[in-house]
Amino acid sequence: MAYGRERARNRLRSGRWAPHPGWRNFIDAGWRVLVTQPEALARIEALVDAEEWRTDKRRSWTLILRRLVHAMDWDTGLITGLTATRLGDAGDRASRTVSRVLAWARDIGFLVVVEPGASAEFLGTDTNRTPTYALVTNSPAPALPSASAQLSEVVDESGDLPDPYVSSKPLTGGRRPNPHQTERWPSFAVPDSPSDRSAATAAFLQRLGLDHRGVSEVPLWRTRALLKPWWDAGMCLQGVLYALDHHPDRPDVHRGDAMRGARDPLRVIGSRLQPWRGRLNSLPASVVGHHRDYLTRGRDGTIPEDVGVQARGGAGRAAEGDRSARNEAKAAVAAHLETLRRRRRLSTT
């Protein structure tokens, strides 16, 4: 321990802000350190935008996180020599608020403390040692733009492009990709795998008229995280839609359109599903989910949509007649969400 303390003392006295030589061991496998400020700032904007915070909290916490990014090392991306007082001054907040910001960033997997702080009394130096942070992400690194092949050869004196680079063949083979095409998901199938949950969640958003790729821009990943406990509990798409429209204490009374006038659709969905926690046995038999292996596949390998309905004698058809009102509210909800998003961006700039 004395040898390690002596090394830490020498690194601090050198004044070069050298990190611990084994700091990379604190980064888990599958994660990488952010070394560019534009990528780190974009990551902060995405994480803060996903939180339902007040405007003042969103602004102050964003400024504190941006101060972290502005102190990044250009080569390693590490952040050192930054005190809690300086972070608090960036967002006009106290040091205890800075501790909450750092704890939140650690909990969501954005910040890693690769070397904790130490007092001057412990190190035997004149000043304390600030912690060393690293901003990390588990997303793949952005692809660097490759050098064009035209720049590697000498251009003809005439200025004409070489023949190999002149082509009219479309890259898509003459077909336009359809980004709105999603996998069809059976209404009574229980999603078991991550890909199944993504497909079921996308179908759920479409049934509500809140296509995450359309004008509503409801995040698919947030909706998938919201519905994951219900998928794991054995609910199917039709069961979730039924739970949105009914309360377990009054199953014979329709609760009305959940998306009509909703400012935050995901919060409304979570509130509507909350009374069903631990009471899924109260669901009617016509909306009980089954695992996909019970379904009969066709000759082409697809799963018929009406297999679950036929297995219940057609009793599940009654729960699918209440979608027109949701489709009518789609444009109004999308416009309202876009207005809130625009105000949020203006308040943070």
Side-chain angles (χ1 to χ4, degrees):
M1 183 176 179
Y3 173 69
R5 187 180 304 181
E6 180 66 24
R7 289 195 309 170
R9 186 183 304 112
N10 294 335
R11 286 191 288 110
L12 184 61
R13 289 175 175 174
S14 65
R16 294 194 298 266
W17 309 105
H20 188 277
W23 66 269
R24 293 189 181 276
N25 297 326
F26 293 92
I27 309 301
D28 294 338
W31 294 74
R32 61 182 180 87
V33 179
L34 298 176
V35 294
T36 60
Q37 290 188 0
E39 185 180 6
L41 292 175
R43 179 65 174 162
I44 290 175
E45 294 295 334
L47 293 175
V48 173
D49 188 67
E51 299 291 340
E52 301 298 335
W53 291 340
R54 302 186 313 272
T55 303
D56 57 339
K57 179 179 179 180
R58 184 182 303 275
R59 179 180 180 277
S60 60
W61 285 41
T62 301
L63 293 176
I64 293 175
L65 294 172
R66 286 179 178 175
R67 176 59 62 89
L68 282 172
V69 174
H70 295 160
M72 289 172 53
D73 184 83
W74 287 10
D75 297 327
T76 62
L78 297 180
I79 304 167
T80 186
L82 194 59
T83 62
T85 303
R86 292 181 58 190
L87 289 174
D89 293 342
D92 194 17
R93 290 296 184 268
S95 299
R96 60 178 179 271
T97 304
V98 175
S99 301
R100 297 191 187 102
V101 175
L102 298 178
W104 170 80
R106 291 182 61 181
D107 292 341
I108 64 174
F110 178 61
L111 181 140
V112 175
V113 181
V114 296
E115 187 175 23
S119 64
E121 181 182 0
F122 175 79
L123 296 175
T125 56
D126 298 333
T127 59
N128 301 330
R129 183 186 67 190
T130 59
T132 302
Y133 309 108
L135 305 180
V136 297
T137 180
N138 58 351
S139 61
L144 298 176
S146 58
S148 175
Q150 300 181 21
L151 301 179
S152 61
E153 299 181 6
V154 180
V155 181
D156 297 338
E157 295 181 358
S158 61
D160 297 333
L161 292 176
D163 293 338
Y165 307 124
V166 180
S167 174
S168 59
K169 183 178 180 181
L171 297 178
T172 58
R175 298 185 302 273
R176 292 181 179 270
N178 183 13
H180 298 280
Q181 184 178 2
T182 57
E183 180 184 356
R184 182 187 178 194
W185 182 258
S187 298
F188 295 93
V190 177
D192 298 325
S193 62
S195 59
D196 290 347
R197 287 191 290 268
S198 298
T201 304
F204 171 78
L205 291 176
Q206 288 185 349
R207 295 284 290 272
L208 293 182
L210 297 175
D211 185 7
H212 67 101
R213 305 180 191 179
V215 295
S216 63
E217 297 183 359
V218 176
L220 176 63
W221 68 272
R222 289 189 61 191
T223 312
R224 184 174 58 240
L226 175 65
L227 297 179
K228 184 180 183 300
W230 303 101
W231 300 138
D232 295 341
M235 293 190 72
C236 62
L237 175 59
Q238 199 64 35
V240 175
L241 294 175
Y242 178 87
L244 286 179
D245 296 335
H246 299 81
H247 195 279
D249 295 333
R250 304 179 63 186
D252 54 338
V253 178
H254 195 280
R255 303 183 67 182
D257 187 6
M259 297 296 102
R260 185 180 298 275
R263 297 183 178 182
D264 190 341
L266 295 183
R267 180 169 295 183
V268 173
I269 293 172
S271 177
R272 287 285 188 99
L273 294 178
Q274 182 63 28
W276 289 94
R277 191 174 301 275
R279 304 183 62 180
L280 297 183
N281 56 348
S282 301
L283 289 172
S286 58
V287 296
V288 174
H290 293 268
H291 293 277
R292 294 187 67 173
D293 52 4
Y294 93 99
L295 297 170
T296 304
R297 292 184 176 270
R299 294 182 179 180
D300 56 351
T302 60
I303 302 176
E305 173 70 18
D306 58 348
V307 171
V309 178
Q310 294 175 0
R312 293 161 177 80
R317 295 190 182 96
E320 299 193 14
D322 193 47
R323 290 178 294 175
S324 59
R326 298 189 184 98
N327 293 331
E328 294 176 358
K330 177 180 178 181
V333 173
H336 185 72
L337 291 177
E338 181 62 27
T339 303
L340 294 178
R341 191 176 295 107
R342 190 182 300 109
R343 293 177 181 175
R344 182 184 303 168
R345 293 170 180 170
L346 292 177
S347 62
T348 55
T349 57

